[in-house]
Amino acid sequence: MDWTDIYASRQNRSVLRGTVVGVEEVPLESQKVPCLVLGPEIKGIIPLQESGVEPGPTNGATRGRMLTLIGQEIPFIVIGIDRENNLYVASRSEAVKKLSSQVWSQLQEGIEKEAVVRRHIRGVNSQGKTINIGAVVEMDGVEAFLPVQEISHGWVEDLEVLPLGEKVRVKIIKLDREKQKITVSLKALQPDPWPECARKYAKNGVYIGTVTGVAEYGVFVALEPGVNCLCRHPKAGKLSRGDKVAVVLLSVSPAERKMSGAVSRIVRKSVLGAV
């Protein structure tokens, strides 16, 4: 990208793409405004009100939300040029609005799209514990919700399995044009391992698995990618994510995509530490 591209975007409202390299406060209209910084070839700034980032309850929260975009490539339209300071001002919001108006007419349930992971969504349950809700992904300027249960056929312990800025292939599973809300799935594009489980795993059988999560109500053990068994907490000792364990299956229900079991012994402790 060079100054020719930047002037063309300013004159024709063409959409450019650039990488967010930082966040800084910039004096604009007699006050300091938090801005996304674009680069590295030519410096550009996107003020908070043009960034598409929802302001948080505090300045620190707002800055934290802006920081999640560092390293990500985003679309923008140039809205101002300052050649004296070798700087341009851009709007991500305007670019997203332009792109989404073109894209919505082409969207429908069942189609596949390439998307970029923009941010993770977490919440707090009634016990005050942080829980994973899902992620927001962007498809050609249109945002969609990826529920945590649609990321994988198995238990997802950490949303970091989807790094911010990563490109993923998703399937649209729900589309509400009136409310302009989209729900997508990664799982729908992955092979479903459950139909084979009735043949491969038997009640009272003992199998090796890997601990993928530890919750208040039990321990999740992956017998293979996408196939998790919910086990009771062991009577002695604590399990950590990554531990290799032997599991006795107490029930196998492929139709419900559920297995329950009990950890009979620890085969190998993980070096990841406690969950």
Side-chain angles (χ1 to χ4, degrees), residues 145 187 266:
F145 175 51
K187 182 175 71 176
I266 299 175

Side-chain angles (χ1 to χ4, degrees), residues 160-226:
E160 297 306 323
V161 297
L162 290 175
L164 299 181
E166 181 170 273
K167 293 182 179 179
V168 294
R169 193 79 180 169
V170 297
K171 182 177 182 178
I172 298 176
I173 58 174
K174 188 175 181 180
L175 183 72
D176 188 329
R177 294 186 185 278
E178 185 176 342
K179 296 181 180 178
Q180 290 205 323
K181 290 185 177 181
I182 306 170
T183 303
V184 297
S185 173
L186 272 173
K187 182 175 71 176
L189 299 178
Q190 300 168 359
D192 185 356
W194 281 98
E196 290 292 310
C197 288
R199 181 180 61 82
K200 296 167 69 173
Y201 303 106
K203 182 178 179 180
N204 297 322
V206 182
Y207 304 94
I208 296 295
T210 304
V211 175
T212 55
V214 179
E216 294 177 349
Y217 49 86
V219 179
F220 289 92
V221 177
L223 302 184
E224 62 181 81

